[in-house]
Amino acid sequence: MAAKVKCLYCQEEFSRERTKFTKVGRRYAHTKCYEEHYEKEKAEADEYRKVTDLIQKLYYPQKPDWGTIGSQIKRYKDEGMTYMGMYYTLQYHCIVKGNDIKEKGIGIIPYIYQKAKAYYKNVNNTYTKTAEIEQKKDLGVTQTENIITIVHNKPKKRLIDFNYE
């Protein structure tokens, strides 16, 4: 008789003798479910690392208070913000706007999250990227009409210099 076990991720019962599985601790999971879950965790860990690296760069040469910052990041994540949203919010606040977070920390994130989201949505909008002056063909009149599209250039990002000289 085949031993039936429940998948850790999808909660389906399966036979270990008939189905490919992966052992996770003392439990079992379909190989496919395990790989999907592992990829999600890896991507999320990479995003978290990107946020913490940015915070480290913004605080340099001081050392951030990781206890407070870690609890703030966790709270913001529980409130529905994403790690990449936090990353781009800090980038907007510090690099685009030129503000400093050394004194007050990352507590500004919930207040400017939507503003930063709107900023990046506008900058990356496909209509603002079209930059051509076109001349329309004859409209059936002796005149032609010129259509001018205004070019929106992405703002030049100020690069942070981290020379350790």
Side-chain angles (χ1 to χ4, degrees):
M1 184 169 168
K4 290 218 173 205
V5 292
K6 193 180 272 191
C7 177
L8 178 62
Y9 304 112
C10 69
Q11 304 301 320
E12 281 185 23
E13 284 192 3
F14 65 93
S15 171
R16 288 187 296 170
E17 295 171 358
R18 296 181 184 165
T19 310
K20 289 184 179 180
F21 69 92
T22 303
K23 190 167 182 176
V24 183
R26 292 175 38 188
R27 309 223 14 222
Y28 299 94
H30 294 109
T31 304
K32 183 180 175 185
C33 294
Y34 174 75
E35 288 171 357
E36 288 174 4
H37 182 76
Y38 180 75
E39 288 299 320
K40 282 182 189 176
E41 280 185 350
K42 188 174 184 299
E44 195 168 284
D46 290 342
E47 291 174 358
Y48 181 77
R49 178 63 183 226
K50 197 170 181 178
V51 172
T52 56
D53 287 347
L54 177 65
I55 292 169
Q56 184 76 33
K57 287 176 185 176
L58 293 173
Y59 267 89
Y60 183 81
Q62 297 175 2
K63 188 174 180 184
D65 178 15
W66 287 113
T68 305
I69 290 174
S71 65
Q72 286 175 324
I73 290 173
K74 184 180 183 314
R75 186 175 71 231
Y76 300 153
K77 181 72 173 160
D78 292 341
E79 290 174 3
M81 298 179 202
T82 63
Y83 291 130
M84 291 311 293
M86 289 182 244
Y87 173 81
Y88 285 117
T89 301
L90 287 172
Q91 198 172 37
Y92 168 76
H93 181 68
C94 298
I95 296 171
V96 175
K97 290 291 188 180
N99 298 316
D100 191 25
I101 64 165
K102 289 181 184 175
E103 295 174 12
K104 298 184 180 179
I106 64 168
I108 190 73
I109 289 178
Y111 300 104
I112 61 170
Y113 190 84
Q114 293 302 323
K115 190 181 276 188
K117 185 176 179 181
Y119 169 79
Y120 282 108
K121 186 176 181 183
N122 188 28
V123 167
N124 294 324
N125 193 341
T126 56
Y127 296 112
T128 61
K129 288 185 178 180
T130 59
E132 293 179 18
I133 299 175
E134 298 178 12
Q135 185 169 359
K136 248 189 176 177
K137 294 190 177 185
D138 192 17
L139 298 173
V141 190
T142 56
Q143 286 185 319
T144 58
E145 179 179 297
N146 290 333
I147 297 176
I148 299 172
T149 305
I150 299 174
V151 178
H152 174 73
N153 293 327
K154 271 188 171 181
K156 300 216 188 263
K157 294 181 181 175
R158 290 185 285 166
L159 299 176
I160 300 173
D161 187 17
F162 291 108
N163 289 332
Y164 301 108
E165 295 175 31

